[in-house]
Amino acid sequence: MQKGWTVSQKKRPDAATWIAAGIILAVYVAVFVLEQIIPPTTMLFTVLKKGATYALVAVSMNLLNGFTGLFSLGQAGFMLIGAYVYAIFSMSSEVRDRVYQYFDCAIGITLPVIPAILLAGLVAAAFAFLIGLPVLRLKSDYLAIATLGFAEIIRAVFQWKKLGPVTNGSNMLKDYPTFNDFNIVNAEGKVVLYLSTLVPFLIAGVCIAAIVLLINSTYGRSFKAIRDDEVAAEAMGINLARHKQLAFCISSFFAGVGGAMLAMFTNTIQAKSFTSAMTYEILLIVVIGGIGSVTGSCIGSFLFVACSEWWLRFLDQKQYIGTWEVPLLRNGFRLVVFSVIIMVVVLFYRQGLMGMRELPDLFRKKKRSAKPGKEAAQ
């Protein structure tokens, strides 16, 4: 027996993986540097913060829809739970009486930011576990309708007046820690180091890295097997119910974390803003980026937010070339152009911008297949 067969060899990262890691590190460095030299009110930072938040939620949805094959539309509901849990438990006791001015607040615990974010994810995962017990028995469109119904129900419940001492009813929650609170200030209160954009990148990066590790683990391979063929996966000894429940809870956990990040981005939250349209936006990002691609979900998130929030804003206002008024430009025309762009992308990129490829795959050389004549000669 050869000596090398007795030791299990670990797969080492190749050159493409190191290049991809270098690009990601360069992006983080660029975000940090730009935040120090560009005014914080620039629209660029709004896009980066919201893009990082949507990237995490899109990847969590891709874990369920793309890698496990479960068509769920309940992402907005889990984001709502995460946002409310974070806001309620991170709010200081000094501002609770002012925020809950119509109710006697029943929550008297104040947690630091990171534990509050983790609690937001855990509560969302707990709801997912309870919802998943009956819902995950359904398949395809029926599962999508059931999870969409859950999101609508949870939005109505959180605005119920009876729950006012906990959720503040239909009133908004505010005055909790936001991304701006991570900026470092001096004794005079002047910001000396801006971190309000780097922090959401760090939170999203750590969470997405955890999802990538999960996808590349034995559990991730089981998820893919369920996606490809449930009958074959079950024949190979994979417990379908347990793995579906696990994927559903993990996806909901990171959706809850994304909801907490969205609360930190918007500074105020209200249940009525977590509509089904938010879930459709996340689903659109997953489709544009590529179902089954983490990189595609991240790229699609920033492109979607940049187009919808920044690049096409001028289409909603009248524009003049000299004295000639450009026709059609008026409030709402931006959405028309954005819809056309999405249709073009879907038509020419049937599998999304990335398909099922990841960032390192872009730097790997494709292996050329041998010619038929040459194969026959061999």
Side-chain angles (χ1 to χ4, degrees), residues 211-235:
I211 294 175
V212 171
L213 291 175
L214 175 67
I215 291 171
N216 294 325
S217 68
T218 55
Y219 287 101
R221 288 191 286 272
S222 298
F223 295 158
K224 294 176 185 178
I226 294 173
R227 175 196 63 189
D228 295 336
D229 193 329
E230 288 191 7
V231 176
E234 191 171 19

Side-chain angles (χ1 to χ4, degrees), residues 12 17 74 92 95 100-101 110 143 155-156 158 168 175 186 196 224 227 252 290 312 327 331 340 353 366:
R12 295 182 178 179
T17 304
S92 63
V95 303
Y100 287 82
Q101 55 181 333
T110 301
L143 176 60
R155 181 164 61 93
F158 270 59
N168 203 22
D175 294 336
N186 56 19
S196 59
K224 294 176 185 178
R227 175 196 63 189
S252 302
L312 301 180
N331 188 26
V340 173
L353 296 176
K366 295 182 179 180

Side-chain angles (χ1 to χ4, degrees), residues 56-68:
L56 174 57
V57 181
V59 171
S60 71
M61 190 177 198
N62 210 346
L63 173 66
L64 200 60
N65 292 20
F67 290 96
T68 314

Side-chain angles (χ1 to χ4, degrees), residues 116-287:
I117 293 175
L118 293 175
L119 182 62
L122 291 173
V123 173
F127 271 85
F129 178 79
L130 297 176
I131 296 298
L133 291 176
V135 165
L136 292 179
R137 299 176 185 271
L138 305 174
K139 295 182 179 180
S140 188
D141 299 341
Y142 300 101
L143 176 60
I145 294 171
T147 51
L148 181 62
F150 155 74
E152 292 298 315
I153 291 171
I154 204 71
R155 181 164 61 93
V157 168
F158 270 59
Q159 297 180 81
W160 190 26
K161 192 174 181 180
K162 296 286 186 179
L163 287 179
V166 177
T167 64
N168 203 22
S170 59
N171 305 305
M172 67 174 59
L173 295 176
K174 57 184 179 179
D175 294 336
Y176 49 80
T178 64
F179 290 137
N180 292 329
D181 293 324
F182 287 94
N183 293 331
I184 299 176
V185 298
N186 56 19
E188 299 176 355
K190 183 179 179 181
V191 178
V192 294
L193 187 65
Y194 287 95
L195 298 175
S196 59
T197 306
L198 183 64
V199 166
F201 267 73
L202 290 174
I203 297 174
V206 170
C207 293
I208 292 173
I211 294 175
V212 171
L213 291 175
L214 175 67
I215 291 171
N216 294 325
S217 68
T218 55
Y219 287 101
R221 288 191 286 272
S222 298
F223 295 158
K224 294 176 185 178
I226 294 173
R227 175 196 63 189
D228 295 336
D229 193 329
E230 288 191 7
V231 176
E234 191 171 19
M236 294 175 64
I238 297 175
N239 189 324
L240 297 184
R242 187 166 70 89
H243 281 81
K244 286 182 179 180
Q245 187 74 275
L246 181 63
F248 193 54
C249 290
I250 293 174
S251 174
S252 302
F253 171 84
F254 289 110
V257 174
M261 292 177 62
L262 186 64
M264 298 172 74
F265 167 73
T266 56
N267 299 336
T268 60
I269 57 169
Q270 205 166 5
K272 66 179 183 180
S273 61
F274 291 84
T275 61
S276 57
M278 183 177 291
T279 299
Y280 299 147
E281 289 179 353
I282 304 301
L283 179 61
L284 182 60
I285 290 171
V286 172
V287 173

